[in-house]
Amino acid sequence: MLQARKNQKLFVNEQEISVLSRDNGEFISLTDIARQKNAATGLVISHWLSTRFTIEFNGLWEQLHNPDFNLTEFGNIKNEAGHNSYVLTSKQWIEKTNAIGLIAKTGRYNGGTFTHRDIAFEFASWISASFKLYLIKEFQRLKDEENKRLELDWDLRRSLSKINYTIHTDAIKENLIPKELDPIAVNRIYAEEADILNVALFGLTARDWNKNNENRGNLRDSATMEQLVVLSNLESINAMLIGRGLLASERIFELNRIAIIQMKSLLNGQVLMKGSIGIDQSK
């Protein structure tokens, strides 16, 4: 049994968001995040859970972290997803699949639906790309305060880049790497997929960037926080597109389209929200 250790609070867009620390990581309240969109939080969460993309993403997360995940029920749910009449609640997802990434707590003060921070950031993206950025910044502030007490170094840039990295590489491994390839060929495939994301977001490959930026680290280390948020989203989206069998030439155009939309949303949100929620925009 995973034990809860403590409750903490985040404040994003003047919205209070509860964080529950457990043995397997921090769980952020979807119920509190959903209030950003609508007061009927249960309907908001259910609508998000019922989408095929969410089901596939959560299913991949569970397969990576949960040895007791019920793959048979997951397959049944995935087959039903996409129909207009299909509705999936958090309780149904937990009970049918034995999921551990989502928890439903009862109680007047600390009740609601909580999910692991990896999944919570995806839900925040569905609510608003700008809201996800502010949520991550506020989560970073919380971790910084903990690190000062524990004298630990929590690197937001590296953590953000890893949010969906494992899901992305697992999708490549399962769908794009033929059997019996030598390690050099395997690494080449991973590099090619990384460059699909680089071109979609930055407009150039890592090699092209290195030619013009010698002794300046690597392309992703030079990225802005906004670009890293979008990159995190693109990794999970690309994993889903790979799973659906789309060719690289098809995926790169779709990923570029999504990158443009999300960057515009983030940058417009920065202008609109600057100075209004107590976040230092100069950082």
Side-chain angles (χ1 to χ4, degrees):
M1 175 70 71
L2 296 171
Q3 297 297 321
R5 294 197 301 268
K6 57 185 175 180
N7 290 325
Q8 296 171 296
K9 300 291 184 182
L10 303 176
F11 293 90
V12 183
N13 286 10
E14 300 182 353
Q15 174 70 50
E16 183 180 281
I17 299 174
S18 296
V19 179
L20 177 65
S21 292
R22 294 166 64 92
D23 290 343
N24 60 334
E26 290 90 354
F27 281 64
I28 299 175
S29 172
L30 292 189
T31 303
D32 291 341
I33 295 175
R35 291 193 181 96
Q36 181 74 16
K37 191 174 185 70
N38 194 294
T41 57
L43 292 176
V44 174
I45 296 171
S46 180
H47 180 56
W48 172 71
L49 279 174
S50 301
T51 65
R52 186 173 182 86
F53 177 87
T54 300
I55 290 169
E56 289 178 343
F57 180 87
N58 287 356
L60 281 170
W61 189 96
E62 293 290 342
Q63 290 175 65
L64 291 172
H65 299 89
N66 182 6
D68 297 321
F69 185 57
N70 191 325
L71 286 172
T72 301
E73 283 296 335
F74 169 61
N76 294 336
I77 291 173
K78 190 164 63 170
N79 289 335
E80 295 181 44
H83 299 294
N84 291 335
S85 60
Y86 183 68
V87 176
L88 179 67
T89 66
S90 56
K91 184 178 179 180
Q92 289 171 333
W93 171 253
I94 295 168
E95 291 180 349
K96 288 183 177 181
T97 67
N98 197 32
I100 63 171
L102 204 68
I103 58 176
K105 286 176 58 63
T106 58
R108 180 176 180 182
Y109 297 104
N110 292 315
T113 300
F114 289 75
T115 190
H116 191 278
R117 69 187 189 203
D118 294 350
I119 302 171
F121 290 151
E122 285 301 310
F123 179 60
S125 290
W126 185 76
I127 297 293
S128 162
S130 298
F131 186 81
K132 176 182 180 177
L133 176 61
Y134 294 124
L135 176 62
I136 290 174
K137 282 192 171 184
E138 180 64 8
F139 188 79
Q140 161 71 358
R141 182 196 62 76
L142 179 68
K143 299 305 295 184
D144 283 344
E145 290 182 354
E146 290 182 357
N147 292 341
K148 289 176 182 177
R149 292 192 298 269
L150 302 174
E151 296 182 350
L152 298 175
D153 180 21
W154 192 83
D155 186 349
L156 172 64
R157 181 176 293 272
R158 187 171 298 275
S159 295
L160 178 58
S161 68
K162 289 182 177 179
I163 288 174
N164 294 316
Y165 177 76
T166 303
I167 290 175
H168 187 227
T169 54
D170 268 40
I172 295 170
K173 186 187 303 180
E174 292 296 324
N175 295 280
L176 298 182
I177 299 177
K179 303 300 181 184
E180 304 302 329
L181 269 182
D182 64 87
I184 295 176
V186 171
N187 289 334
R188 186 181 304 120
I189 292 175
Y190 281 123
E192 289 171 355
E193 284 301 316
D195 268 338
I196 286 177
L197 300 181
N198 289 336
V199 172
L201 179 58
F202 303 109
L204 75 173
T205 66
R207 176 177 294 181
D208 291 337
W209 188 90
N210 289 334
K211 288 180 181 178
N212 299 318
N213 297 273
E214 294 184 5
N215 302 318
R216 289 185 56 191
N218 62 58
L219 172 58
R220 298 189 182 191
D221 283 344
S222 69
T224 65
M225 186 63 65
E226 290 79 10
Q227 288 172 323
L228 287 175
V229 169
V230 175
L231 178 62
S232 169
N233 293 341
L234 294 184
E235 286 180 330
S236 64
I237 293 169
N238 194 36
M240 301 307 167
L241 297 179
I242 290 172
R244 293 175 185 172
L246 271 69
L247 299 175
S249 58
E250 297 173 309
R251 287 185 279 116
I252 196 168
F253 282 105
E254 178 65 9
L255 292 168
N256 177 246
R257 183 187 68 83
I258 294 170
I260 292 171
I261 292 172
Q262 294 200 357
M263 282 301 298
K264 285 182 177 179
S265 176
L266 282 174
L267 294 176
N268 288 339
Q270 290 276 33
V271 173
L272 292 173
M273 299 300 299
K274 187 175 182 179
S276 65
I277 62 171
I279 292 178
D280 185 352
Q281 301 289 339
S282 65
K283 295 182 179 179

